[in-house]
Amino acid sequence: PHFGADELKPVTNTSDPNIWGGFGVTIIDSIDTLMLMGLDEEVAEARAHVATLDFRQDYDASVFETTIRVVGGLISAYELSDDQLYLRKAVEMAEAMAPAFKKSDPFVDNQLIHGYWLDPL
């Protein structure tokens, strides 16, 4: 029931499905580890999840967290597998976040679907 949730809480066996946009960042960030561990069934399940993702949502994304967890996770999965799906999805997310890089402040949030940046203060 927690697969695809953004944040897992193993002590309470609960999850927060939408703390980082509802993209399932925990599983995206873990795909490379699953690959290195040879957990092919879990990798296939994670890949199926990634295939369904649409990053153009009405969501204010943390540029830092989204870069390291989503873009980084997808690029790592691509490098280990050469699967074009992971590269395509990494590019989609990077393009959705591109407006944030027009501002010099690295701590901005970026509104993914509307393409504007938000000051954190």
Side-chain angles (χ1 to χ4, degrees):
H2 305 297
F3 190 91
D6 281 344
E7 184 176 90
L8 304 178
K9 300 175 182 179
V11 173
T12 59
N13 193 29
T14 60
S15 61
D16 189 337
N18 199 23
I19 196 168
W20 298 109
F23 303 122
V25 296
T26 297
I27 196 63
I28 295 170
D29 197 19
S30 302
I31 296 171
D32 56 350
T33 302
L34 296 172
M35 290 175 174
L36 292 171
M37 294 176 67
L39 299 173
D40 298 335
E41 193 172 307
E42 289 81 358
V43 170
E45 190 174 356
R47 186 190 187 285
H49 171 75
V50 169
T52 68
L53 294 176
D54 178 6
F55 295 126
R56 295 200 40 86
Q57 295 186 24
D58 190 9
Y59 170 68
D60 300 335
S62 161
V63 173
F64 174 76
E65 291 292 335
T66 304
T67 299
I68 65 169
R69 299 188 75 192
V70 179
V71 178
L74 292 167
I75 289 172
S76 293
Y78 167 70
E79 284 296 319
L80 290 170
S81 67
D82 207 29
D83 185 331
Q84 292 292 313
L85 171 71
Y86 299 123
L87 180 60
R88 187 175 79 249
K89 291 295 183 176
V91 168
E92 286 176 14
M93 177 55 90
E95 287 175 346
M97 292 190 338
F101 293 97
K102 294 178 183 174
K103 179 148 172 48
S104 61
D105 182 352
F107 300 106
V108 298
D109 284 354
N110 184 60
Q111 217 296 333
L112 294 182
I113 197 166
H114 301 292
Y116 55 80
W117 51 265
L118 306 152
D119 279 315
L121 302 176

